[in-house]
Amino acid sequence: MLSTAPKNTATDPEYHEILRNLSDGSVNRHFDPYVDIDWDSPEFAVHSDDPRWIMPDEDPLGRHPWYKAQPVEKRIAMGMWRQAGIAKVGLDFEQLLIRGLMQYLISVPNGDPEFRYVTHEAAEECNHTMMFQEMINRIGYRDVVGMGSIDRKLTMAIWPAVKYFPELFFTMILGGEEPIDHLQKSLLRGGVDLHPMVNRVMQIHVAEEARHISFAHEYLRRNVPGMNPVTKAVLSVAFPIAMRVMLDMIMTPPKEFVDKFGIPAEVMREAYWSGAESQTTMRNIFGDVRALATNSGLMNPVAKLTWRLLGIDGPVTRYRSEPARKAA
């Protein structure tokens, strides 16, 4: 049976100090989508012939030869739908996360600084849902979809996990947050000429998600070592599975996108994730969480085999958000 005993972080002053710092960051460095984004600015206007909507090489499909061979008009249309689709999936995930966080807070006792920080995070995620929806509306594709029906059924695992297996819940959070964060940081670091509206939304999302990802890492780093050995062994295998499943939910375009633009099945397979370059991208996405799993004692032989079979094994990062190192 999974343990629901109180965590050893309840009287951990160092952990509480981290939570207070994260909460202070949410107060002093936060964004409002209707204050910090000038949606009606002329430079944010959306035009269907704007080449800045063309998908960049940082996107697995954007760098595929098939996509590059398409007419400019089609590449722009696909890029607009793709940006709106990523935002819609992000919106769906944020809504699931908010509900899970609210459920988690029910068990947080009086005086615990987790209550304040987690509530700050939920409020920021609410702002993100409004930000994403506003961008979708302005791009103009009414047929854009988020998570598919199968994905939504899989996410039902969140609700029992929050109550009975919170370490798995925060693992699933990382599985949803790390892929988008990795893609957006790659675009911002690479100086890609993005549409200004997309660029501003990414800047805000990356800035605030840094706190959310830091909290999930810290929660797991402090709670996993003291878990029941059986439950810990279960998590060690569930961890990479959650990463791989969430990657497909978040990063792989839905069937509606494929059908709308007539993308060949072999192109989708190569881009997501059988091609050599896309496999490298997939491995790079999870460098931080591999480091977390290693440092938390979750890299036993069975877990290592699971990471490898899922194609997401590889080196660990030396520090959070370290850019991927290229082989010599």
Side-chain angles (χ1 to χ4, degrees):
M1 180 177 291
L2 300 178
S3 172
T4 57
K7 305 303 176 186
N8 58 10
T9 55
T11 57
D12 186 336
E14 182 183 4
Y15 179 55
H16 289 183
E17 181 64 22
I18 291 171
L19 290 172
R20 281 189 287 269
N21 288 337
L22 289 172
S23 293
D24 288 345
S26 292
V27 171
N28 298 317
R29 187 61 175 170
H30 69 278
F31 299 90
D32 185 309
Y34 292 100
V35 173
D36 297 295
I37 302 178
D38 186 4
W39 296 104
D40 295 321
S41 168
E43 67 171 344
F44 281 12
V46 175
H47 301 289
S48 60
D49 60 349
D50 189 338
R52 292 175 298 186
W53 289 108
I54 292 175
M55 296 162 65
D57 287 349
E58 284 75 8
D59 188 288
L61 182 58
R63 62 172 169 256
H64 195 281
W66 178 87
Y67 177 75
K68 290 181 177 295
Q70 301 306 302
V72 170
E73 295 79 8
K74 183 174 182 178
R75 282 186 283 153
I76 291 173
M78 290 179 69
M80 292 176 70
W81 205 103
R82 180 74 171 128
Q83 286 289 358
I86 291 173
K88 188 67 173 179
V89 171
L91 190 159
D92 286 350
F93 176 75
E94 304 283 34
Q95 289 176 329
L96 290 166
L97 171 56
I98 293 163
R99 291 161 65 188
L101 292 175
M102 292 296 99
Q103 183 178 339
Y104 176 78
L105 285 177
I106 293 173
S107 63
V108 175
N110 295 330
D112 193 324
E114 267 191 0
F115 181 90
R116 178 185 169 190
Y117 172 71
V118 171
T119 305
H120 277 307
E121 180 171 328
E124 289 167 358
E125 300 292 23
C126 284
N127 277 337
H128 293 176
T129 64
M130 289 190 288
M131 180 172 69
F132 289 156
Q133 187 63 65
E134 188 68 34
M135 186 173 77
I136 294 165
N137 294 346
R138 288 173 182 267
I139 291 174
Y141 276 109
R142 301 300 181 186
D143 61 343
V144 72
V145 298
M147 289 184 179
S149 58
I150 295 177
D151 293 342
R152 288 185 176 279
K153 288 181 174 62
L154 289 172
T155 58
M156 294 303 293
I158 287 178
W159 318 129
V162 174
K163 181 175 177 61
Y164 299 109
F165 203 168
E167 294 85 2
L168 178 59
F169 169 59
F170 284 102
T171 295
M172 295 171 73
I173 288 177
L174 286 177
E177 290 179 334
E178 293 277 4
I180 288 183
D181 188 66
H182 179 89
L183 174 61
Q184 292 181 337
K185 284 178 178 175
S186 297
L187 293 169
L188 294 172
R189 284 169 172 166
V192 176
D193 187 20
L194 300 166
H195 188 279
M197 178 176 63
V198 175
N199 194 68
R200 185 58 177 149
V201 167
M202 282 188 183
Q203 289 172 342
I204 291 174
H205 191 245
V206 165
E208 295 193 325
E209 286 299 314
R211 284 192 292 269
H212 307 170
I213 292 173
S214 292
F215 171 64
H217 274 257
E218 196 64 29
Y219 181 94
L220 291 169
R221 188 176 73 84
R222 290 174 177 270
N223 283 284
V224 167
M227 290 174 65
N228 174 287
V230 175
T231 310
K232 186 176 178 181
V234 171
L235 182 63
S236 72
V237 176
F239 198 110
I241 294 174
M243 295 299 124
R244 187 63 183 83
V245 170
M246 296 301 289
L247 173 70
D248 274 341
M249 288 185 188
I250 298 295
M251 293 290 289
T252 305
K255 182 179 183 296
E256 289 81 356
F257 177 76
V258 175
D259 292 343
K260 183 180 182 71
F261 294 104
I263 307 174
E266 62 270 20
V267 170
M268 289 298 296
R269 282 195 297 269
E270 289 175 8
Y272 308 97
W273 301 90
S274 66
E277 194 168 4
S278 64
Q279 288 182 352
T280 299
T281 297
M282 183 169 63
R283 287 184 166 90
N284 289 342
I285 286 171
F286 296 117
D288 284 352
V289 290
R290 286 194 298 268
L292 172 64
T294 300
N295 296 334
S296 301
L298 293 175
M299 277 296 188
N300 56 59
V302 176
K304 289 179 180 179
L305 177 62
T306 306
W307 283 92
R308 187 165 67 251
L309 290 175
L310 293 173
I312 53 175
D313 59 324
V316 301
T317 53
R318 295 169 294 180
Y319 53 88
R320 280 276 318 284
S321 298
E322 178 190 9
R325 286 168 278 173
K326 294 182 178 179

